[in-house]
Amino acid sequence: MSDGASGGPVRLHHVPGSRSFRVLWLLEELGILAEIQRYAIGDGSLRDPAYLTLAPAGRVPALEIDGQAIFESGAIVEFLAETRDEAGLARMPGDPERARYLQCIHFAETQASLIENLNLSHVFLRPPAKPSAPVLKITTARLRGTLQALDALLGEREHLLGEFSAADVMLGFNLWAAPRFVPMDGFPRLLAYRARLEARPAFRAAQARDGDAAFYDRDFYPIPEDGA
Ligand SMILES: N[C@@H](CCC(=O)N[C@@H](CS)C(=O)NCC(=O)O)C(=O)O
């Protein structure tokens, strides 16, 4: 399909609605048209030996670009934003916003790992296995704590930094999954921020290419009282 800076094909390995959406969205922000190879969690496709040569932990995203394959969404987001710095989405060394930029990019995975644990308990665990109610309570409280931290970090800003950046792609993306586990009525600023991100043409273009996010079957997952 289309090309990156060095002219080769660009291929995104993607599960609809998953963290690989960050990369899909950022590619759209940068005007890079990628071929998308789709997978599903749980059908074994991410354990295919050919895929494991690209992403040895069998996770998405992986991105083939500039003659190499990269896994880990944070690494891909930093790489794309820095190697296409002319788009203004990175904060390079020496930039006064550099530390805050890196902090937001990496904080995204502190938060996403809590979402991942809740996904595992609420969505992927199959009977007779039962989620542990105490673990769900603690994990949900910890996720709420990261939303409070994000709310404080954002404050009255429009975006996490002075202007929209790759940090919004990385951390902002979590705001589509976190509300499935934590009620958002206490976070009007985060909901308004999410709406601003959603209104971006590149976000909408990515959404149109994403595919069906098959794993969630409801909008909100309360903590089951009868967990083990
Ligand atoms: N820290 C990694 C996490 C990647 C990850 O766990 N991705 C999930 C989808 S959101 C996945 O591929 N799960 C498949 C599985 O656990 O089998 C990143 O940000 O790329």
Side-chain angles (χ1 to χ4, degrees):
M1 222 172 205
S2 190
D3 50 50
S6 65
V10 179
R11 184 175 301 116
L12 173 64
H13 299 266
H14 177 59
V15 170
S18 80
R19 286 169 173 105
S20 48
F21 184 84
R22 291 170 173 153
V23 179
L24 185 59
W25 176 11
L26 184 55
L27 287 167
E28 291 290 342
E29 294 282 354
L30 295 170
I32 300 172
L33 184 60
E35 175 189 322
I36 300 177
Q37 194 157 328
R38 289 187 181 75
Y39 301 79
I41 294 177
D43 71 354
S45 54
L46 291 173
R47 302 292 178 269
D48 184 288
Y51 184 62
L52 294 177
T53 64
L54 302 177
R59 307 282 187 103
V60 289
L63 183 69
E64 295 177 69
I65 192 166
D66 299 347
Q68 60 191 328
I70 320 171
F71 62 91
E72 283 293 329
S73 62
I76 298 168
V77 164
E78 283 187 47
F79 176 85
L80 285 175
E82 289 181 8
T83 54
R84 279 83 180 160
D85 183 36
E86 63 283 358
L89 300 184
R91 297 298 180 271
M92 303 297 271
D95 189 303
E97 289 185 315
R98 171 77 173 171
R100 184 177 165 92
Y101 169 74
L102 290 177
Q103 183 181 274
C104 291
I105 291 224
H106 292 271
F107 180 50
E109 277 300 281
T110 294
Q111 189 169 63
S113 62
L114 295 164
I115 295 171
E116 178 179 328
N117 287 339
L118 291 168
N119 280 341
L120 193 62
S121 290
H122 284 289
V123 180
F124 293 116
L125 212 57
R126 292 279 170 261
K130 267 189 170 183
S132 154
V135 171
L136 280 175
K137 273 186 195 137
I138 292 166
T139 311
T140 304
R142 284 163 68 85
L143 178 59
R144 185 178 301 104
T146 64
L147 288 168
Q148 282 159 349
L150 175 55
D151 185 55
L153 204 54
L154 183 68
E156 300 304 325
R157 292 175 184 80
E158 295 268 299
H159 298 103
L160 290 166
L161 306 179
E163 300 288 334
F164 175 80
S165 74
D168 296 299
V169 173
M170 203 51 208
L171 187 46
F173 163 76
N174 295 345
L175 290 174
W176 276 270
R180 293 191 191 269
F181 307 113
V182 175
M184 294 298 283
D185 28 315
F187 298 106
R189 291 191 302 203
L190 292 183
L191 290 176
Y193 168 59
R194 187 178 74 167
R196 281 194 290 283
L197 297 179
E198 202 162 25
R200 296 184 67 80
F203 182 95
R204 290 180 183 277
Q207 228 176 8
R209 299 198 70 203
D210 184 19
D212 277 343
F215 44 89
Y216 291 121
D217 61 3
R218 62 184 100 141
D219 291 338
F220 187 74
Y221 293 82
I223 298 168
E225 288 306 325
D226 60 346

